[in-house]
Amino acid sequence: MESQHTIGYGLRYMTDLCPPAYLTLCVQCVVGVFLQTILAGIVIAKILRPKKRRQEMRFSRMAVIGPLDEHDKRPTLMIRLADIQEKLFLAESHVRLYMACSKINSRGDRELIGVKDMNVGYDSGWDRVLLLWPIIVRHVINEDSPLYGMSRDNIAKADFELIMTVEGIVEATGMTFQARTSFLPDEILWGYKFKPMVLMNEKLSKYEVHYSLFDQTERVCDFDAQTIETEETEDDHHHNASGFL
């Protein structure tokens, strides 16, 4: 007897004279459904591969340097990040930021001279981001920062590239992915900050994300530091510095 979920056999069919045939058909039906479920899961996993998932990570076109917030005027490098996928959430997502420096050698070729790590909250765990809504990744420019002591003109003439990576796990498939972007010196705005884009809708009494404001920036009038130099106070050690907002 051959069967795959079919119960119509014409003139030849199972009767109560052969109970093992019923048991065999039931087992075969259960195993068949189980195998089809596995096959469907494999197909979905291939469709939702990380290469497609990372395309749904959105980075701001420009990075900005401005005050940390309204009360803390320390200069801070900020980059906006968002996950535009609303159904497939990410787990264990975290960000990294690097500065790749280069120079022109004696032969006239540009060569890489080093990659420096830029703190975005590793020491306090703020590098692990929650991407339920758009966030701003922040790097406070202090004595440990590669940007410390650089002026606006120095940054514009410097030979470096900022590289940001986002890694995470897709909850639906358990696969890991990585998305990357980079910023050149002419893609860094001095004395700006990002406009708020998560705003309260008073009529609906809930927050709404306005993606039309994702790349919008505004100038900070009182940010007039020509050279990036900071002095830490005693309260700075208890204040969230590098991380996300």
Side-chain angles (χ1 to χ4, degrees):
M1 180 183 66
E2 295 182 3
S3 177
Q4 179 71 30
H5 302 176
T6 302
I7 59 175
Y9 305 100
L11 297 178
R12 295 183 178 183
Y13 58 90
M14 293 177 293
T15 65
D16 54 1
L17 298 178
C18 185
Y22 287 102
L23 179 60
T24 303
L25 179 61
C26 291
V27 172
Q28 194 273 335
C29 290
V30 172
V31 173
V33 172
F34 181 71
L35 293 177
Q36 288 184 350
T37 303
I38 294 178
L39 179 61
I42 294 175
V43 173
I44 293 176
K46 291 297 183 181
I47 295 176
L48 300 177
R49 59 187 183 273
K51 183 180 294 185
K52 296 291 184 180
R53 187 65 180 87
R54 69 186 183 188
Q55 296 175 356
E56 296 165 342
M57 301 300 300
R58 183 175 177 182
F59 301 89
S60 58
R61 292 197 299 265
M62 308 291 288
V64 300
I65 293 179
L68 183 62
D69 53 41
E70 296 180 355
H71 307 287
D72 193 336
K73 301 302 181 182
R74 287 180 294 171
T76 305
L77 174 71
M78 293 172 282
I79 301 170
R80 181 169 271 170
L81 170 67
D83 179 14
I84 61 177
Q85 171 61 257
E86 298 181 354
K87 295 181 180 180
L88 297 178
F89 296 106
L90 301 176
E92 295 294 329
S93 53
H94 54 278
V95 298
R96 305 281 294 186
L97 185 62
Y98 306 93
M99 173 187 280
C101 302
S102 61
K103 70 173 183 178
I104 304 295
N105 58 25
S106 58
R107 298 187 300 273
D109 300 326
R110 183 174 297 278
E111 63 178 357
L112 182 67
I113 61 176
V115 177
K116 301 177 181 179
D117 189 19
M118 303 180 69
N119 183 21
V120 289
Y122 315 134
D123 50 353
S124 57
W126 284 97
D127 61 317
R128 298 188 179 276
V129 295
L130 184 63
L131 293 175
L132 297 180
W133 53 81
I135 63 172
I136 298 176
V137 179
R138 306 181 300 179
H139 165 72
V140 173
I141 304 174
N142 52 25
E143 291 84 353
D144 299 325
S145 172
L147 297 175
Y148 182 75
M150 299 182 68
S151 65
R152 178 190 306 182
D153 296 334
N154 295 142
I155 292 178
K157 298 177 182 178
D159 294 325
F160 68 84
E161 183 176 4
L162 301 181
I163 303 173
M164 170 175 278
T165 64
V166 181
E167 298 178 356
I169 301 174
V170 183
E171 288 186 347
T173 61
M175 293 184 176
T176 59
F177 80 101
Q178 183 184 85
R180 298 182 298 273
T181 191
S182 64
F183 300 91
L184 295 173
D186 59 354
E187 296 174 323
I188 301 176
L189 301 178
W190 181 286
Y192 283 81
K193 66 178 181 179
F194 289 105
K195 290 185 177 180
M197 59 176 296
V198 183
L199 306 175
M200 170 65 76
N201 187 326
E202 300 296 342
K203 295 182 179 180
L204 301 177
S205 298
K206 66 178 183 179
Y207 285 97
E208 294 182 345
V209 179
H210 300 266
Y211 280 100
S212 60
L213 302 174
F214 186 83
D215 290 307
Q216 298 295 319
T217 59
E218 58 185 357
R219 186 160 186 84
V220 182
C221 298
D222 56 348
F223 186 79
D224 55 357
Q226 294 299 319
T227 303
I228 301 178
E229 294 182 355
T230 60
E231 294 183 0
E232 287 193 359
T233 62
E234 184 177 354
D235 295 336
D236 292 339
H237 298 284
H238 305 284
H239 188 274
N240 174 31
S242 300
F244 72 94
L245 178 63

